[in-house]
Amino acid sequence: MRIATTIFLTDETITPVRLARELEQRGFAGLYLPEHTHIPVERTTPYPAGGELPAEYGRTLDPFVALGQAAAVTERLGLGTGITLIAQHDPIVLAKQIATLDHLSGGRFTLGVGFGWNVEEAADHGVDWGTRRALGRERMRLMRALWAPAPTAYEGKSGVSVRASHAYPKPAGGAPRTLIGGAAGPTLFTHITEYADGWLPIGGRGLTESLPVLRSRWEEAGRDPAALHVVPYAVLPSPGKLAHYAELGIDEVVLQLPPADETSVLRILDEYGQYL
């Protein structure tokens, strides 16, 4: 099983360069980074985990800049977002950022996408909350048009469009692996089968029940069963938990690191070394 990590990198934590070097030297498979552009102070949306919102949410580094640094000092380490809030981005600019990072890293990038939980953050980006999932789907289709080998136009139903264009570089493999984060359910599974390569289940709970449902939906959509990627994300590990994932046929898991200084993070990496 490949063991990757995720962390809220901030202006107060270990740096992307130091962490990436340590992960590659120790044999970890990848580094996934979350995204929040800002956290409005006047916020009525509750923190999904309950209680006060941790301070790191408002201090998060831009994932693409941080992953660019990580790519520059590593050769094998996988690089990913967990997650890119796709409805909050201009898709033409985002397509360029993704293609550039994947090209420069030699095809090491995984695009984790999601739809967010913070209504106020999304509203500042002009996102109508009720349409964010449909908007995300159209923006993914637009980006895939820009990544196509030949100039390809895309005209969506909600004003999302691009003319046939020259757009280089291309992602190293034509399009990066795309995983969608979120809770299990019919809507999420429909999106996964339509335009993604798999699922990032946050925390990894309930997979015994939900994974067969997703696999069934995937095959009903005519997708190759062997091509489905399910990557439990932000997992606090134990030997029993990882063994259970392996029994379910999962071959990659992303472990949660604390948003802490270098000494603290490296200590946790020492502990996580038992799972490699």
Side-chain angles (χ1 to χ4, degrees):
M1 180 178 289
R2 297 190 304 278
I3 305 296
T5 61
T6 184
I7 183 174
F8 276 87
L9 286 178
T10 78
D11 55 325
E12 298 178 327
T13 66
I14 188 172
T15 67
V17 166
R18 183 75 169 108
L19 178 57
R21 284 175 169 155
E22 285 287 338
L23 290 171
E24 182 157 276
Q25 290 171 6
R26 292 165 182 255
F28 286 89
L31 172 63
Y32 291 72
L33 297 180
E35 175 183 49
H36 284 283
T37 53
H38 66 299
I39 300 295
V41 174
E42 296 183 4
R43 179 175 56 85
T44 60
T45 308
Y47 176 42
E52 292 296 318
L53 182 68
E56 60 264 22
Y57 279 73
R59 307 189 75 102
T60 308
L61 300 184
D62 178 275
F64 291 98
V65 175
L67 289 171
Q69 284 199 330
V73 297
T74 57
E75 296 179 351
R76 302 175 304 280
L77 188 71
L79 310 163
T81 53
I83 56 171
T84 296
L85 296 167
I86 188 169
Q88 296 180 187
H89 286 268
D90 178 314
I92 298 173
V93 175
L94 183 59
K96 174 69 77 172
Q97 289 176 299
I98 291 167
T100 300
L101 179 55
D102 197 58
H103 168 74
L104 292 176
S105 68
R108 289 187 277 151
F109 181 65
T110 291
L111 174 62
V113 301
F115 311 104
W117 58 269
N118 191 329
V119 176
E120 290 77 20
E121 177 186 356
D124 284 347
H125 286 279
V127 176
D128 179 349
W129 191 249
T131 65
R132 71 194 189 286
R133 293 179 183 272
L135 183 62
R137 175 169 47 193
E138 292 208 342
R139 289 184 172 178
M140 274 301 312
R141 288 172 172 166
L142 182 151
M143 292 196 298
R144 289 185 182 276
L146 289 172
W147 296 333
T152 303
Y154 176 75
E155 184 70 40
K157 298 179 180 178
S158 56
V160 177
S161 64
V162 67
R163 309 164 198 268
S165 303
H166 299 292
Y168 291 87
K170 304 296 184 184
R177 181 176 69 155
T178 301
L179 307 175
I180 302 180
T187 300
L188 182 80
F189 288 174
T190 295
H191 282 263
I192 291 171
T193 61
E194 284 184 357
Y195 65 85
D197 301 298
W199 182 26
L200 279 176
I202 309 302
R205 298 185 190 89
L207 286 177
T208 302
E209 296 76 28
S210 58
L211 191 51
V213 177
L214 174 58
R215 284 173 171 160
S216 177
R217 292 285 300 277
W218 183 266
E219 293 185 39
E220 288 171 3
R223 306 289 299 271
D224 178 3
L228 175 62
H229 297 254
V230 176
V231 182
Y233 185 80
V235 170
L236 296 176
S238 69
K241 186 182 294 185
L242 297 190
H244 177 58
Y245 292 157
E247 291 172 357
L248 293 174
I250 289 168
D251 59 14
E252 181 182 0
V253 62
V254 182
L255 306 186
Q256 181 72 60
L257 292 170
D261 60 24
E262 181 175 311
T263 300
S264 300
V265 170
L266 296 186
R267 184 171 62 250
I268 299 299
L269 288 183
D270 289 339
E271 296 177 11
Y272 285 175
Q274 67 181 296
Y275 303 115
L276 296 175

